[in-house]
Amino acid sequence: QKEVEQNSGPLSVPEGAIASLNCTYSDRGSQSFFWYRQYSGKSPELIMFIYSNGDKEDGRFTAQLNKASQYVSLLIRDSQPSDSATYLCAVTPGSSNTGKLIFGQGTTLQVKP
Amino acid sequence: GAVVSQHPSWVICKSGTSVKIECRSLDFQATTMFWYRQFPKQSLMLMATSNEGSKATYEQGVEKDKFLINHASLTLSTLTVTSAHPEDSSFYICSAPPQDRVHEQYFGPGTRLTVT
């Protein structure tokens, strides 16, 4: 079992719809969770981070965390073609306080006009 | 805030030569920086953790004598790919967390290395 799992997609949604991206992780000790967006040929860009169970909203983005189920998700409301990218989920290993991150393989999102 | 730069953005070198890549935190200090490698259509693979003033910590399977890391100051880490071969061609990306927000990693723009 991979430490951080994401469906590679592609996930295709129409413009204006809600895109839902999911991620599961195996380390129950993980405390910090991150979503990065990566455009083709570019480096990842931090979108959101979440530390506590529940929802965290920032503009059109909402991160949801459920530690009991070891599940974190990212919702993108009013999806735009410019949101088309690969979304990487990352978690901190429970045993580490150095900032080390474990990344999932990423989900490719396609927003069709 | 939290800007990380890399230099060069791309480099082409001949097989057997060495290439140095610089990673700088521009508006914050970082005692730790991370070096990743990404092959096409694959996710980020952590290569090593660069520690200011001490030796780097390498991930399993990464040759420390081939990928030399130096973290001489709180704003600069360098990765040197020694005796490069075509299979080392990849996208190398560094990241750094601010000292007061150690779990928030900000990535540099990456360096695309092509070894001919």
Side-chain angles (χ1 to χ4, degrees), chain A residues 39-53:
Chain A
Y39 292 111
S40 181
K42 303 294 185 181
S43 66
E45 171 192 9
L46 180 63
I47 299 176
M48 290 194 69
F49 55 87
I50 185 168
Y51 301 148
S52 304
N53 277 328

Side-chain angles (χ1 to χ4, degrees), chain A residues 30-77:
Chain A
S30 294
Q31 296 294 323
S32 305
F33 308 86
F34 303 83
W35 283 100
Y36 287 84
R37 176 175 62 196
Q38 186 175 25
Y39 292 111
S40 181
K42 303 294 185 181
S43 66
E45 171 192 9
L46 180 63
I47 299 176
M48 290 194 69
F49 55 87
I50 185 168
Y51 301 148
S52 304
N53 277 328
D55 295 359
K56 179 181 179 182
E57 186 174 319
D58 183 0
R60 295 187 296 113
F61 299 97
T62 299
Q64 299 175 317
L65 174 61
N66 184 325
K67 290 185 179 180
S69 300
Q70 295 174 243
Y71 175 95
V72 58
S73 65
L74 179 70
L75 301 178
I76 306 175
R77 290 182 297 281

Side-chain angles (χ1 to χ4, degrees), chain B residues 84-101:
Chain B
H85 291 284
E87 56 265 31
D88 298 323
S89 298
S90 188
F91 192 41
Y92 291 85
I93 316 173
C94 72
S95 72
Q99 281 182 297
D100 59 340
R101 290 171 283 154

Side-chain angles (χ1 to χ4, degrees), chain B residues 51-112:
Chain B
N51 304 299
E52 189 267 336
S54 64
K55 292 182 178 180
T57 304
Y58 290 82
E59 295 299 303
Q60 191 173 9
V62 177
E63 300 174 60
K64 63 180 181 180
D65 294 330
K66 180 171 181 61
F67 299 99
L68 301 179
I69 292 173
N70 184 274
H71 194 149
S73 77
L74 288 173
T75 58
L76 173 64
S77 175
T78 60
L79 168 69
T80 301
V81 183
T82 63
S83 186
H85 291 284
E87 56 265 31
D88 298 323
S89 298
S90 188
F91 192 41
Y92 291 85
I93 316 173
C94 72
S95 72
Q99 281 182 297
D100 59 340
R101 290 171 283 154
V102 68
H103 292 304
E104 292 178 29
Q105 284 193 40
Y106 294 89
F107 284 83
T111 297
R112 191 161 302 280

Side-chain angles (χ1 to χ4, degrees), chain A residues 32 34 36 38 41-46 49 51 88 92 96-106, chain B residues 6 32 34 36 38 41-44 46 49 59 91 93 97 102-110 112:
Chain A
S32 305
F34 303 83
Y36 287 84
Q38 186 175 25
K42 303 294 185 181
S43 66
E45 171 192 9
L46 180 63
F49 55 87
Y51 301 148
L88 300 168
T92 55
S96 171
N97 63 352
T98 62
K100 179 178 176 178
L101 292 178
I102 306 298
F103 283 86
Q105 66 195 62
Chain B
Q6 272 184 253
T32 303
F34 300 89
Y36 295 85
Q38 186 176 38
K41 299 194 182 300
Q42 294 188 24
S43 190
L44 297 164
L46 178 65
T49 302
E59 295 299 303
F91 192 41
I93 316 173
V102 68
H103 292 304
E104 292 178 29
Q105 284 193 40
Y106 294 89
F107 284 83
R112 191 161 302 280

